[in-house]
Amino acid sequence: MASTPILNLPPAAPPPEPPKAGIAPPPVRAARKRRSPAKILLWAVLLAATAIFIYPLLWLLSASFKPQSEVFDNRLIPQTPTVANYVEIWNAAPLALWMGNTVLVTVLAAVAVTLSSSMVAWGFSYYRFRGRNALFFLVLATMMLPGAVTLIPTFLIWNALGQVGTLTPLWAGNLFGSAFYIFLLRQFFLGLPRQIFEAARTDGANDWQLFRHFALPLCKPALIVTLLFEAQAAWTDLMRPLIYLRDSNTFTVPRGLKAMVDQFGFAGNWHWELIVTASVITTLPMIVLFFLGQRHFIEGVATTGVKG
């Protein structure tokens, strides 16, 4: 006699097939988050601030393509665009020579202050000696002195050395470091693990090798920040060129633009179309420089001052 099954179960389903190689499972859509009014307001404020900051640059660029009669019409799109200003400015002033002088001063000033400030900052951060903190506070105290206080003594020193009228006073002072950059780099050095340098010293590295092969590569973002800051300061500096430069062959870009403002104005007939064109040409290198170093700049600002 045949036995009757106790449970009437459905047939078992076949096992799922394994996913084929090279085929990713379908993505799961995340639910869209609702944008809060506060976030929308924040974006609106940021866009408005961006427009305010970028408008002068757009106006300058637009004015460089306008004839003299339309420079101040406040149109971002020129009514009668022209490139004659870019041709005329090269014939009206030795702009290439001025830019060459500015590049030379900028490179020497940025490299000199970066190397000298990093050496001083490394000494204040790594070595332990009596009076270290007091000496460091004395260095920081020099930042409290207005620049006008040291203008005359500095001029007398360079005049005694026979360097007035040359480019040397515009960059050679950076060989002695800068209090601001010393503070910035010191804070970065303090965030580096000291065990790295102790291990390197155990392996036989001397003081210079510790600084050259370990400290400098580890603080690359801070060094790039210092280079960018000083490059911008040297490129746009007008006060020192006004004091030390006499011959137009040694003019830098800011000093040359000041000379152009004085030259192209006669009986109220100002050639502002040439001034704004020269300003555009001399502004573009700084924009390109900051775009190239933007990643390192943000990284250096974000990590500088974080002490480990």
Side-chain angles (χ1 to χ4, degrees):
M1 182 177 181
S3 60
T4 305
I6 302 174
L7 297 176
N8 188 12
L9 297 176
E17 296 183 1
K20 297 181 180 179
I23 301 179
V28 180
R29 286 188 179 181
R32 292 185 177 179
K33 296 182 179 179
R34 288 187 176 181
R35 295 179 180 178
S36 61
K39 193 170 184 179
I40 296 176
L41 179 61
L42 177 62
W43 277 101
V45 172
L46 291 177
L47 290 175
T50 302
I52 292 174
F53 279 99
I54 204 174
Y55 176 79
L57 180 61
L58 295 178
W59 183 93
L60 189 72
L61 183 62
S62 173
S64 66
F65 291 99
K66 297 178 181 178
Q68 181 182 7
S69 58
E70 300 177 7
V71 172
F72 295 102
D73 61 2
N74 287 330
R75 293 174 180 265
L76 291 182
I77 300 178
Q79 189 174 4
T80 55
T82 177
V83 295
N85 297 332
Y86 287 89
V87 177
E88 187 176 354
I89 189 60
W90 291 102
N91 300 324
L95 197 59
L97 177 62
W98 295 346
M99 292 190 68
N101 294 335
T102 309
V103 170
L104 177 63
V105 170
T106 300
V107 171
L108 292 176
V111 173
V113 80
T114 302
L115 291 178
S116 58
S117 299
S118 61
M119 291 180 184
V120 178
W122 170 249
F124 278 124
S125 63
Y126 180 75
Y127 298 103
R128 304 289 188 263
F129 54 90
R130 181 174 298 179
R132 183 187 68 163
N133 293 334
L135 186 59
F136 179 67
F137 287 136
L138 183 62
V139 172
L140 293 183
T142 61
M143 292 173 31
M144 304 299 132
L145 291 175
V149 174
T150 58
L151 280 180
I152 295 178
T154 305
F155 176 82
L156 294 176
I157 293 173
W158 290 118
N159 188 42
L161 295 174
Q163 297 300 314
V164 174
T166 67
L167 298 175
T168 304
L170 305 186
W171 67 269
N174 288 354
L175 292 172
F176 303 97
S178 168
F180 172 74
Y181 298 132
I182 291 172
F183 170 76
L184 185 146
L185 292 171
R186 174 184 176 270
Q187 295 304 110
F188 197 95
F189 283 134
L190 288 175
L192 300 179
R194 193 176 180 86
Q195 293 80 0
I196 296 177
F197 306 105
E198 298 301 333
R201 185 175 290 278
T202 303
D203 291 338
N206 56 33
D207 292 339
W208 173 252
Q209 290 172 336
L210 289 178
F211 174 72
R212 169 65 181 84
H213 298 289
F214 294 92
L216 288 184
L218 289 174
C219 71
K220 181 181 177 181
L223 294 176
I224 293 178
V225 170
T226 303
L227 280 170
L228 290 177
F229 279 175
E230 186 59 27
Q232 188 271 338
W235 186 273
T236 59
D237 184 24
L238 175 61
M239 181 62 69
R240 285 182 294 182
L242 279 174
I243 295 174
Y244 295 105
L245 301 182
R246 301 288 185 268
D247 187 5
S248 62
N249 291 329
T250 61
F251 281 179
T252 58
V253 166
R255 181 67 180 88
L257 290 179
K258 176 64 171 62
M260 289 175 60
V261 172
D262 298 336
Q263 175 185 355
F264 293 145
F266 179 75
N269 187 19
W270 296 89
H271 292 272
W272 288 110
E273 75 280 3
L274 299 181
I275 304 298
V276 297
T277 303
S279 300
V280 169
I281 295 174
T282 56
T283 302
L284 289 179
M286 284 294 100
I287 297 176
V288 173
L289 181 63
F290 271 87
F291 267 111
L292 293 178
Q294 182 181 18
R295 180 174 63 86
H296 299 285
F297 177 79
I298 296 175
E299 182 181 355
V301 172
T303 56
T304 300
V306 179
K307 180 178 178 181

